Amino acid sequence: MAKCKSVLKKKNDRESLNADICDHVVFSLSKDIENATERDMGRALALSLRDRLVERMLETRDRYRETKAKRMYYFSIEYLLGRCLGNSLCNMEMLSECEDMFKDLGFDLDEVRESERDPALGNGGLGRLAACFLDSLATLDMPGCGYGIHYEYGLFRQSIQDGYQKELADYWMADGMPLEIIRPDQAVLIPLYGRVENSILPNGEYLPMWLDWEDIVGVPYDIPIVGYGGKTVNYLRLFAARASQNFDMEIFNSGDYIRAVQRKIESEMVSKVLYPSESVSFGKELRLVQEYFLVACGLRDITRRFSAQNKNFEEFSDYVAIQLNDTHPALTVVELMRFLVDEKRIEWGRAWKITQATCAYTNHTLLPEALECWSVDLLEKVLPRHLQLIYEINSRFLDGIKKKYSEDIEKIRRMSLIEEGGKKEVRMANLAVIGSHSVNGVSELHSELVKRRLFPDFYEMNPEKFNNKTNGVTPRRWLLKSNRPLAKLLTDCAGDKWITDLSELKKIEKYATDSEFRDKFVAAKRENKIILSNFIRSTLDIDVSPDSLFDIHAKRIHEYKRQLLNVLHIIHMYLEMVDHGREPLCARTFIFAGKAAPGYWEAKQIIKLIHSVGGVINKDKRVKGLIKVAFTPDYRVSLAEKIIPACDLSEQISTAGTEASGTGNMKFAINGALTIGTLDGANIEMREEVGEDNFYLFGLRQDEVENLLTTRSYHPREIYESSAEVREVLDALYSNRFSPKDPGLFNWIVDKLLADNEQYLHLADFAEYIEVQKTVGLEYSDPVLWNKKAILNTARMGKFSTDRTMREYAEDIWNIKALKNLE
Ligand code: 26W
C-alpha cells in the first residue's frame, strides 16, 4: 500500500503559484500569457488551486485507508455550494496573497471571482446545510464525504418582469467547473424497471431474480472540499447519468437509429434538472428515479471501497455510516437490504441489523404536504424487487408491533409503511425511521415536534432513537469570507481562533460598550451597507440610503415564512405617514429576496405584491427618504453573501411550529444583525444564547398556535372588526391602492387572511409585530444601544457553528473520529 505522502510537491508561495498559473494559461487553456483575459486568469488560478487540492485529497485518502477509519457518507439530493474558488482559496489561506498577486498582474481578483457561476444544486436550507456540513467535516479532519447528483440544470434563475417572477434555465456548467474531477473509471451501473422472477434453488433456498432491467451509468464527478487550514481535503461526489453501452447495442440491432438515440437521451434525463420545490411532494416518476439513482450510485461506490479493504460485510457498520438528508434518499434502507440479502446472501435478521446500524435519518420539515409518499404502482414499475423488499420489511415490522401492542389496529395502520387509503402508497418517512438507528430534528423545538407530532407511535416504541442536532452554519463562508471588514475587526480584537472555534467570539462581549470598538463595528457594517446600496442602485435603479435601517427578509417565498406579514407592516407604516401624518421613528429600507416554486401560485403573487407596494411607495415623494422597498432578484448563495453582512434587522417571522430550524437566521445574527422573530425553530435557541434583551420577540408560541388550530378557534374577522390598523391595511389592499391598473389583483390575499382556516395566523400576530417594530425603530435611533445589542449578537452566536453540529453528529450518531493530519 502506498505510504502517506507527507511532503507536498506543490508549494503555496507566490512564485510557485505564479508559475503554475502561467503554465495553465498556456498548456491547459492554450493561450499566450500576454493575451490572457480576466476569465482565462480565473480559470488558470482555479486549475492551479485544483492541483494543490488534488494532492491533498490523495494524501487525505491515504490517511483514511491506512488508519482504516470509519467514514461517514452524507446522502443528499441537494447541495447548495455557492461559488467555490474564493471559498477554497480562503480555506487554503491563500486569498489575500492571490489578491495581491493578481493586482500585480493587472487583474482584480474580486472581479474574476464575481464571474464564477454559483453551482445551485439545491433549493434552500436543506441543500445549504449540507454544504456547510461538508466544510466543517473537512475543517475538523473528519472522514465525511457528500454524495449527490450532478444536475445539468441547477435551481432556476429568477428574473422579474412587471413585478412577476419568471424562471430561466440555469445551465451552471456553461463555463465549465475547473475544480471538479471526472472519474469515468469509477462509473457504476444502475438497473431500473424490469421484473422479478421468483425461483427456488435445489436446496430449497428462495432466489428472487431481477430480470430484464434497463440500465443507466452513473459517472462520478468529485468536487474537492478543503477544510480550513488546508490539511484535510474531502470530496463531494456527484453522479451524472449516462446511457450505457447496451443502448449502442440496441442501435446496432434494431436499425432504428433515431429511436435508439432518443432512448439514450431519455436515460440521461435522470440527472438533467433539479426539482425546484422545497415543500411539495412531486410523485413524479423521474423524481423517484433520481432518488434511486443517488442511492444506488452511492451504495455501489461505498461497497466497492469497503470490499477493497474488508471482505466481511458483517462488519459493514463498523466502517460505514450513512446519513439520510431527509427522506429523499430513504431508499438506501431498501437498497442496502437488497445488496446484503440478494447479493451477499446474508440472513435477513442480520442484514436488517447491519442496515439499521449503518443508516441514520434527519427530518427537515414538519409541513405535511412535504412528507414523501410513493405510489405502489410506480414503485412496482420502476423498482420491482425493492417493492417486494418493502413488503417484507413491513410485514416483519408489523409482526413485531402486533406482538408488542397485541391488536391495536389503528396503531398498526398508522405505523405501516403502506398507506392503504385509496391508492396504495409507501410512506418514505416511516421507512427512514424504522431502517435507521437514529432519527433527529434540526432544532430543539423541531425535534420535540418530530417526536410528538410526526412520529408519536415510533417514539413510544423506540424513544432512544430520537435526538436533536441543532443546525449551524460555517463561519468560514458566512463570516470570514463574506464579511471581511467585520472578520478583520474580530481578528484584530480577539485573535483568529474564532475561525475554527466560533465560541471564541465571546471575547468581544467586553467591547459591547467600548466606543472605539463600536465605531469600528459601525464602520464595518456601513461599508457593507454601501456595497449593497450601490448594488441595488445599479441593478434596480432604486436609491437607498446606507443610513437607513436595512430591514431584510431573505429566504424562499412561502406562506409559512410570512413575507405577507412583513408587507402588511410596510403598508401600515406607509399609511401612518401619508394618511395620518405620523413620521416613523427611523428611516427604513425593506429588502426582500427569495424564489417562489414555479408552481406555487400564492408565493408568486406575494412577489408581485412586494413589487406593487414597492412601486407605489418608492415613487411617493411624501415618504422620500423615509421608506424604500427593494426586491433583489435571483437570491442565491453569492447574493446572500452580499446581503447578509449589510443587514441591521433580520426578519425570522414564521408561524411558530412551522420552520424546522432556519439557518439564514444564524447567518444574519453572526454578522451583527438583530433579529425580529417568533419563538420558532432555532430562533428560540438563538434568543437564549444572545439574551432576550438582544432579540425582538413577538407572536404566539407553538402551543398557542396548535391550540387555536386544533380547537378551530381562530376567527380573523373578529380581529379585523376590532382593530383599526388591521382594517386600514386590508382595506387599502382591497381598494386597489397598490394595484390601480389591475383592480382586484390582491383581493384573494384579503379573503384568505380573513378566513377561519388561514393556517399561518397572520392577523393573530399582526398587532404585536407592529408594536415590536416600533420598538425596533426607537432603538435603532439610539446607536449606542443598538450597536451594543448588535455586538452582543455577534459575540454570543458561538453555538451556531456547524463545527459544533458536526462534532455532535460524529459523537452521538456516526461514531467517527477526527484524524489528525501527518503534517
Ligand atoms: C419532497 C419535496 C421536498 C423538498 C425539500 C420536501 C422537503 C424539502 C426540504 C426538507 C425542505 C427544507 O429545505 N427544509 C429546511 O431545512 C433547513 C435545514 O435543516 C431548515 O433550517 C429549514 O427550517 C427547513 O425549512
Side-chain angles (χ1 to χ4, degrees):
M1 185 173 290
K3 279 205 98 42
C4 282
K5 303 171 197 71
S6 50
V7 183
L8 299 168
K9 292 198 197 81
K10 294 278 179 197
K11 298 287 176 227
N12 288 350
D13 61 279
R14 199 149 156 179
E15 280 70 20
S16 318
L17 190 63
N18 205 331
D20 282 358
I21 291 175
C22 294
D23 271 2
H24 275 299
V25 168
V26 177
F27 299 116
S28 305
L29 307 180
S30 179
K31 293 261 181 113
D32 301 320
I33 194 82
E34 302 78 46
N35 300 330
T37 62
E38 201 164 67
R39 202 170 145 257
D40 298 331
M41 291 301 286
R43 285 182 63 82
L45 170 61
L47 290 168
S48 310
L49 173 67
R50 185 179 104 146
D51 294 341
R52 285 154 177 78
L53 295 177
V54 164
E55 235 187 347
R56 287 154 197 257
M57 196 157 85
L58 294 173
E59 190 280 326
T60 303
R61 182 205 59 192
D62 288 347
R63 187 162 17 109
Y64 293 162
R65 274 192 194 160
E66 282 172 21
T67 52
K68 291 206 160 78
K70 177 169 184 182
R71 304 176 197 224
M72 188 284 295
Y73 298 94
Y74 201 72
F75 276 20
S76 177
I77 201 104
E78 304 190 1
Y79 290 90
L80 202 44
L81 289 179
R83 290 176 179 150
C84 296
L85 178 61
N87 197 64
S88 300
L89 286 173
C90 180
N91 280 4
M92 291 282 281
E93 298 176 276
M94 289 163 65
L95 191 53
S96 308
E97 181 83 271
C98 281
E99 268 168 353
D100 293 347
M101 186 172 82
F102 266 58
K103 205 184 276 159
D104 291 352
L105 293 167
F107 293 97
D108 182 344
L109 185 59
D110 279 351
E111 273 170 31
V112 172
R113 285 170 45 201
E114 277 292 313
S115 64
E116 183 185 347
R117 289 279 286 266
D118 285 40
L121 309 184
N123 272 287
L126 163 121
R128 183 53 233 174
L129 183 75
C132 285
F133 279 5
L134 296 182
D135 181 275
S136 283
L137 284 164
T139 298
L140 292 166
D141 301 307
M142 285 185 180
C145 291
Y147 279 69
I149 296 180
H150 196 270
Y151 300 106
E152 202 169 313
Y153 292 89
L155 183 60
F156 65 88
R157 283 181 298 132
Q158 178 193 54
S159 79
I160 302 292
Q161 282 168 26
D162 186 29
Y164 287 101
Q165 166 176 300
K166 289 278 168 305
E167 297 90 25
L168 305 167
D170 170 52
Y171 189 66
W172 66 284
M173 299 178 290
D175 298 328
M177 165 64 168
L179 288 184
E180 76 187 355
I181 302 143
I182 176 168
R183 297 197 183 276
D185 57 313
Q186 295 188 32
V188 287
L189 207 64
I190 308 301
L192 285 165
Y193 305 102
R195 63 192 172 88
V196 180
E197 205 165 273
N198 300 307
S199 45
I200 307 283
L201 289 176
N203 66 1
E205 212 180 318
Y206 170 56
L207 183 74
M209 288 204 296
W210 186 4
L211 301 171
D212 298 339
W213 33 265
E214 298 174 16
D215 49 18
I216 319 177
V217 177
V219 179
Y221 287 71
D222 290 351
I223 300 178
I225 306 289
V226 56
Y228 186 75
K231 299 219 172 80
T232 291
V233 180
N234 293 329
Y235 57 83
L236 167 59
R237 178 159 281 198
L238 300 175
F239 289 90
R242 297 281 172 265
S244 80
Q245 295 298 321
N246 300 348
F247 282 99
D248 297 337
M249 284 304 295
E250 203 174 312
I251 299 168
F252 194 73
N253 295 337
S254 72
D256 189 350
Y257 176 72
I258 296 296
R259 202 181 60 87
V261 172
Q262 203 153 359
R263 290 273 302 281
K264 194 173 161 81
I265 294 169
E266 275 164 23
S267 72
E268 298 188 351
M269 272 298 288
V270 172
S271 58
K272 193 63 82 182
V273 58
L274 164 75
Y275 274 84
S277 173
E278 278 221 293
S279 49
V280 276
S281 190
F282 307 100
K284 293 274 188 306
E285 181 169 328
L286 181 61
R287 170 73 175 202
L288 175 65
V289 173
Q290 284 188 342
E291 295 186 354
Y292 179 63
F293 179 72
L294 160 66
V295 160
C297 290
L299 267 177
R300 274 172 182 62
D301 196 75
I302 294 167
T303 50
R304 182 180 32 70
R305 186 170 303 111
F306 179 82
S307 300
Q309 283 211 305
N310 187 336
K311 303 270 173 275
N312 185 2
F313 275 89
E314 299 277 342
E315 293 174 4
F316 191 64
S317 64
D318 298 338
Y319 294 95
V320 174
I322 297 176
Q323 189 68 32
L324 308 177
N325 200 21
D326 217 274
T327 56
H328 321 140
L331 283 170
T332 303
V333 171
V334 191
E335 176 68 3
L336 185 52
M337 281 302 284
R338 190 196 59 76
F339 173 78
L340 295 172
V341 173
D342 290 359
E343 291 187 32
K344 294 288 148 192
R345 314 297 296 162
I346 293 179
E347 179 270 322
W348 184 281
R350 281 293 312 143
W352 185 242
K353 285 217 161 62
I354 297 167
T355 299
Q356 283 182 316
T358 305
C359 297
Y361 156 57
T362 306
N363 174 280
H364 292 269
T365 183
L366 294 161
L367 299 181
E369 63 267 31
L371 291 180
E372 283 191 300
C373 288
W374 286 110
S375 94
V376 164
D377 293 347
L378 188 59
L379 275 166
E380 169 119 63
K381 174 178 166 201
V382 179
L383 298 167
R385 175 63 186 141
H386 293 75
L387 182 64
Q388 278 189 336
L389 291 163
I390 289 172
Y391 276 129
E392 183 66 28
I393 292 170
N394 197 38
S395 104
R396 290 176 188 244
F397 172 66
L398 294 182
D399 282 348
I401 301 179
K402 283 177 202 154
K403 262 195 215 118
K404 200 158 175 176
Y405 300 102
S406 62
E407 295 294 316
D408 183 345
I409 301 293
E410 271 309 294
K411 194 190 240 345
I412 293 168
R413 198 184 50 74
R414 288 192 304 265
M415 295 179 83
S416 171
L417 297 187
I418 313 289
E419 158 97 56
E420 299 280 355
K423 262 187 83 198
K424 270 196 189 180
E425 291 190 315
V426 177
R427 298 161 169 156
M428 302 310 273
N430 292 19
L431 175 64
V433 170
I434 71 168
S436 299
H437 68 282
S438 160
V439 177
N440 76 284
V442 290
S443 71
E444 276 167 19
L445 172 67
H446 170 64
S447 296
E448 280 309 306
L449 295 173
V450 164
K451 292 191 268 188
R452 286 208 320 260
R453 212 199 276 172
L454 281 184
F455 306 122
D457 299 304
F458 295 94
Y459 175 59
E460 188 195 2
M461 194 164 85
N462 294 107
E464 72 292 341
K465 255 194 203 182
F466 289 78
N467 65 94
N468 172 54
K469 295 287 168 281
T470 299
N471 283 167
V473 303
T474 165
R476 271 73 63 185
R477 182 179 290 268
W478 296 109
L479 181 53
L480 180 63
K481 170 174 176 282
S482 59
N483 193 348
R484 293 171 80 192
L486 180 59
K488 181 175 178 324
L489 174 63
L490 298 172
T491 300
D492 287 348
C493 297
D496 65 1
K497 286 210 190 82
W498 65 267
I499 299 170
T500 50
D501 178 3
L502 197 62
S503 63
E504 282 281 310
L505 288 184
K506 271 252 166 336
K507 287 186 180 151
I508 65 155
E509 261 188 36
K510 60 173 183 280
Y511 300 119
T513 50
D514 174 321
S515 65
E516 202 184 319
F517 181 89
R518 183 170 57 239
D519 289 348
K520 291 183 184 157
F521 188 85
V522 170
K525 181 63 78 183
R526 196 174 157 76
E527 196 178 327
N528 299 325
K529 287 173 78 174
I530 290 172
I531 294 172
L532 184 58
S533 310
N534 292 341
F535 176 79
I536 290 176
R537 190 171 307 113
S538 66
T539 55
L540 300 173
D541 199 23
I542 300 175
D543 240 315
V544 304
S545 163
D547 296 320
S548 62
L549 182 160
F550 278 18
D551 178 332
I552 305 188
H553 207 159
K555 51 180 82 247
R556 285 297 286 253
I557 313 289
H558 201 295
E559 286 160 285
Y560 86 78
K561 296 178 189 278
R562 295 203 297 195
Q563 280 91 356
L564 255 181
L565 182 58
N566 187 340
V567 177
L568 297 182
H569 168 242
I570 299 175
I571 296 176
H572 167 77
M573 219 175 132
Y574 174 67
L575 297 181
E576 283 287 289
M577 275 181 259
V578 296
D579 291 358
H580 301 288
R582 295 186 195 123
E583 284 259 312
L585 298 156
C586 72
R588 285 205 204 213
T589 300
F590 293 95
I591 298 168
F592 290 87
K595 294 177 182 175
Y600 188 173
W601 183 84
E602 288 84 353
K604 293 176 113 174
Q605 285 284 309
I606 292 169
I607 293 179
K608 172 65 177 171
L609 174 71
I610 294 167
H611 283 91
S612 299
V613 170
V616 169
I617 292 179
N618 293 348
K619 63 172 186 283
D620 189 332
K621 296 213 168 47
R622 295 170 294 178
V623 298
K624 192 163 187 270
L626 293 174
I627 337 184
K628 282 279 159 65
V629 181
F631 185 102
T632 49
D634 204 28
Y635 191 52
R636 60 198 184 283
V637 174
S638 58
L639 183 55
E641 289 179 54
K642 260 199 203 75
I643 289 180
I644 291 170
C647 178
D648 295 307
L649 184 69
S650 150
E651 299 274 351
Q652 306 300 337
I653 61 177
S654 52
T655 314
T658 61
E659 187 71 272
S661 159
T663 46
N665 47 0
M666 302 167 185
K667 293 162 198 164
F668 281 107
I670 289 175
N671 283 278
L674 295 180
T675 303
I676 182 161
T678 46
L679 284 180
D680 199 17
N683 289 356
I684 300 174
E685 291 154 75
M686 283 171 50
R687 178 165 169 270
E688 272 165 26
E689 293 292 309
V690 304
E692 52 188 63
D693 291 343
N694 306 307
F695 187 105
Y696 296 105
L697 177 71
F698 75 98
L700 296 174
R701 291 186 318 260
Q702 185 274 325
D703 54 333
E704 295 168 324
V705 170
E706 191 174 302
N707 184 39
L708 271 181
L709 292 177
T710 51
T711 58
R712 295 175 184 272
S713 36
Y714 179 55
H715 304 300
R717 211 160 255 289
E718 289 169 6
I719 304 176
Y720 174 86
E721 303 295 347
S722 64
S723 155
E725 275 106 345
V726 170
R727 256 194 329 272
E728 279 180 8
V729 171
L730 293 192
D731 291 352
L733 272 178
Y734 223 93
S735 69
N736 301 315
R737 208 162 160 171
F738 302 102
S739 52
K741 289 198 211 114
D742 238 334
L745 185 62
F746 301 125
N747 288 1
W748 73 272
I749 294 177
V750 179
D751 294 336
K752 191 157 191 179
L753 292 179
L754 290 176
D756 283 352
N757 63 359
E758 199 277 287
Q759 50 178 324
Y760 302 116
L761 309 184
H762 286 78
L763 297 187
D765 283 345
F766 177 81
E768 211 184 326
Y769 182 54
I770 301 300
E771 213 33 57
V772 175
Q773 282 286 22
K774 278 200 191 111
T775 312
V776 168
L778 195 69
E779 298 197 351
Y780 188 74
S781 319
D782 178 350
V784 172
L785 176 69
W786 181 274
N787 287 300
K788 173 182 150 209
K789 295 185 174 198
I791 293 166
L792 288 176
N793 266 264
T794 297
R796 294 175 176 172
M797 285 293 290
K799 171 173 172 187
F800 302 98
S801 164
T802 34
D803 298 346
R804 188 267 314 150
T805 314
M806 285 296 87
R807 275 204 195 89
E808 289 179 4
Y809 275 85
E811 195 158 309
D812 302 344
I813 304 177
W814 303 329
N815 192 24
I816 61 165
K817 306 251 166 338
L819 271 188
K820 273 291 155 226
N821 196 279
L822 295 181
E823 269 180 283

